[in-house]
PDB file of all heavy atoms in Angstrom:
ATOM      1  N   THR A 410      59.414  49.421  89.102  1.00  0.00           N
ATOM      2  CA  THR A 410      59.484  49.480  90.569  1.00  0.00           C
ATOM      3  C   THR A 410      58.756  48.326  91.269  1.00  0.00           C
ATOM      4  O   THR A 410      58.989  48.089  92.447  1.00  0.00           O
ATOM      5  CB  THR A 410      58.913  50.804  91.091  1.00  0.00           C
ATOM      6  OG1 THR A 410      57.641  50.985  90.486  1.00  0.00           O
ATOM      7  CG2 THR A 410      59.834  51.962  90.755  1.00  0.00           C
ATOM      8  N   GLN A 411      57.912  47.577  90.546  1.00  0.00           N
ATOM      9  CA  GLN A 411      57.263  46.435  91.211  1.00  0.00           C
ATOM     10  C   GLN A 411      58.296  45.362  91.603  1.00  0.00           C
ATOM     11  O   GLN A 411      58.009  44.490  92.407  1.00  0.00           O
ATOM     12  CB  GLN A 411      56.165  45.826  90.321  1.00  0.00           C
ATOM     13  CG  GLN A 411      56.702  45.215  89.051  1.00  0.00           C
ATOM     14  CD  GLN A 411      55.645  44.438  88.270  1.00  0.00           C
ATOM     15  OE1 GLN A 411      54.953  43.593  88.822  1.00  0.00           O
ATOM     16  NE2 GLN A 411      55.542  44.731  86.987  1.00  0.00           N
ATOM     17  N   PHE A 412      59.498  45.454  91.015  1.00  0.00           N
ATOM     18  CA  PHE A 412      60.524  44.442  91.326  1.00  0.00           C
ATOM     19  C   PHE A 412      61.581  44.940  92.309  1.00  0.00           C
ATOM     20  O   PHE A 412      62.648  44.337  92.450  1.00  0.00           O
ATOM     21  CB  PHE A 412      61.202  43.959  90.031  1.00  0.00           C
ATOM     22  CG  PHE A 412      60.230  43.345  89.061  1.00  0.00           C
ATOM     23  CD1 PHE A 412      60.103  43.852  87.771  1.00  0.00           C
ATOM     24  CD2 PHE A 412      59.425  42.284  89.438  1.00  0.00           C
ATOM     25  CE1 PHE A 412      59.191  43.294  86.877  1.00  0.00           C
ATOM     26  CE2 PHE A 412      58.506  41.720  88.550  1.00  0.00           C
ATOM     27  CZ  PHE A 412      58.388  42.234  87.265  1.00  0.00           C
ATOM     28  N   LYS A 413      61.297  46.009  93.028  1.00  0.00           N
ATOM     29  CA  LYS A 413      62.227  46.493  94.054  1.00  0.00           C
ATOM     30  C   LYS A 413      62.405  45.438  95.141  1.00  0.00           C
ATOM     31  O   LYS A 413      61.472  44.678  95.440  1.00  0.00           O
ATOM     32  CB  LYS A 413      61.620  47.729  94.732  1.00  0.00           C
ATOM     33  CG  LYS A 413      62.094  49.064  94.210  1.00  0.00           C
ATOM     34  CD  LYS A 413      61.263  50.108  94.949  1.00  0.00           C
ATOM     35  CE  LYS A 413      61.648  51.523  94.760  1.00  0.00           C
ATOM     36  NZ  LYS A 413      62.974  51.952  94.905  1.00  0.00           N
ATOM     37  N   ALA A 414      63.585  45.447  95.778  1.00  0.00           N
ATOM     38  CA  ALA A 414      63.841  44.495  96.878  1.00  0.00           C
ATOM     39  C   ALA A 414      62.867  44.764  98.020  1.00  0.00           C
ATOM     40  O   ALA A 414      62.477  45.909  98.257  1.00  0.00           O
ATOM     41  CB  ALA A 414      65.274  44.670  97.374  1.00  0.00           C
ATOM     42  N   VAL A 415      62.489  43.690  98.721  1.00  0.00           N
ATOM     43  CA  VAL A 415      61.566  43.816  99.844  1.00  0.00           C
ATOM     44  C   VAL A 415      62.256  44.574 100.981  1.00  0.00           C
ATOM     45  O   VAL A 415      63.477  44.504 101.126  1.00  0.00           O
ATOM     46  CB  VAL A 415      61.097  42.407 100.289  1.00  0.00           C
ATOM     47  CG1 VAL A 415      62.147  41.686 101.105  1.00  0.00           C
ATOM     48  CG2 VAL A 415      59.782  42.467 101.032  1.00  0.00           C
ATOM     49  N   GLN A 416      61.468  45.312 101.770  1.00  0.00           N
ATOM     50  CA  GLN A 416      62.078  46.061 102.876  1.00  0.00           C
ATOM     51  C   GLN A 416      62.193  45.157 104.096  1.00  0.00           C
ATOM     52  O   GLN A 416      61.276  44.415 104.413  1.00  0.00           O
ATOM     53  CB  GLN A 416      61.219  47.264 103.216  1.00  0.00           C
ATOM     54  CG  GLN A 416      61.182  48.247 102.061  1.00  0.00           C
ATOM     55  CD  GLN A 416      60.734  49.625 102.501  1.00  0.00           C
ATOM     56  OE1 GLN A 416      60.527  49.882 103.674  1.00  0.00           O
ATOM     57  NE2 GLN A 416      60.585  50.507 101.536  1.00  0.00           N
ATOM     58  N   THR A 417      63.344  45.206 104.751  1.00  0.00           N
ATOM     59  CA  THR A 417      63.578  44.371 105.930  1.00  0.00           C
ATOM     60  C   THR A 417      63.960  45.270 107.096  1.00  0.00           C
ATOM     61  O   THR A 417      64.928  46.025 106.984  1.00  0.00           O
ATOM     62  CB  THR A 417      64.728  43.374 105.658  1.00  0.00           C
ATOM     63  OG1 THR A 417      64.427  42.663 104.455  1.00  0.00           O
ATOM     64  CG2 THR A 417      64.924  42.391 106.796  1.00  0.00           C
ATOM     65  N   PRO A 418      63.190  45.216 108.211  1.00  0.00           N
ATOM     66  CA  PRO A 418      63.533  46.076 109.344  1.00  0.00           C
ATOM     67  C   PRO A 418      64.861  45.665 109.967  1.00  0.00           C
ATOM     68  O   PRO A 418      65.229  44.498 109.958  1.00  0.00           O
ATOM     69  CB  PRO A 418      62.379  45.850 110.334  1.00  0.00           C
ATOM     70  CG  PRO A 418      61.666  44.650 109.856  1.00  0.00           C
ATOM     71  CD  PRO A 418      62.035  44.379 108.444  1.00  0.00           C
ATOM     72  N   LEU A 419      65.581  46.621 110.494  1.00  0.00           N
ATOM     73  CA  LEU A 419      66.898  46.370 111.096  1.00  0.00           C
ATOM     74  C   LEU A 419      66.997  47.043 112.447  1.00  0.00           C
ATOM     75  O   LEU A 419      66.415  48.101 112.651  1.00  0.00           O
ATOM     76  CB  LEU A 419      67.987  47.017 110.238  1.00  0.00           C
ATOM     77  CG  LEU A 419      68.484  46.294 109.009  1.00  0.00           C
ATOM     78  CD1 LEU A 419      69.555  47.147 108.345  1.00  0.00           C
ATOM     79  CD2 LEU A 419      69.068  44.947 109.386  1.00  0.00           C
ATOM     80  N   SER A 420      67.775  46.447 113.358  1.00  0.00           N
ATOM     81  CA  SER A 420      68.128  47.169 114.577  1.00  0.00           C
ATOM     82  C   SER A 420      69.477  46.636 115.028  1.00  0.00           C
ATOM     83  O   SER A 420      69.895  45.572 114.582  1.00  0.00           O
ATOM     84  CB  SER A 420      67.087  46.929 115.675  1.00  0.00           C
ATOM     85  OG  SER A 420      67.157  45.590 116.084  1.00  0.00           O
ATOM     86  N   GLY A 421      70.176  47.338 115.893  1.00  0.00           N
ATOM     87  CA  GLY A 421      71.431  46.798 116.428  1.00  0.00           C
ATOM     88  C   GLY A 421      72.654  47.552 115.980  1.00  0.00           C
ATOM     89  O   GLY A 421      72.577  48.674 115.508  1.00  0.00           O
ATOM     90  N   THR A 422      73.798  46.886 116.157  1.00  0.00           N
ATOM     91  CA  THR A 422      75.095  47.517 115.924  1.00  0.00           C
ATOM     92  C   THR A 422      75.885  46.667 114.926  1.00  0.00           C
ATOM     93  O   THR A 422      75.691  45.464 114.881  1.00  0.00           O
ATOM     94  CB  THR A 422      75.934  47.460 117.228  1.00  0.00           C
ATOM     95  OG1 THR A 422      75.120  46.978 118.280  1.00  0.00           O
ATOM     96  CG2 THR A 422      76.570  48.757 117.550  1.00  0.00           C
ATOM     97  N   VAL A 423      76.774  47.268 114.206  1.00  0.00           N
ATOM     98  CA  VAL A 423      77.675  46.497 113.333  1.00  0.00           C
ATOM     99  C   VAL A 423      78.651  45.739 114.243  1.00  0.00           C
ATOM    100  O   VAL A 423      79.288  46.340 115.108  1.00  0.00           O
ATOM    101  CB  VAL A 423      78.432  47.442 112.375  1.00  0.00           C
ATOM    102  CG1 VAL A 423      79.475  46.678 111.582  1.00  0.00           C
ATOM    103  CG2 VAL A 423      77.456  48.140 111.444  1.00  0.00           C
TER     104      VAL A 423
END
Side-chain angles (χ1 to χ4, degrees):
T410 50
Q411 65 172 309
F412 300 123
K413 263 175 172 311
V415 77
Q416 295 199 5
T417 307
L419 278 180
S420 68
T422 352
V423 174

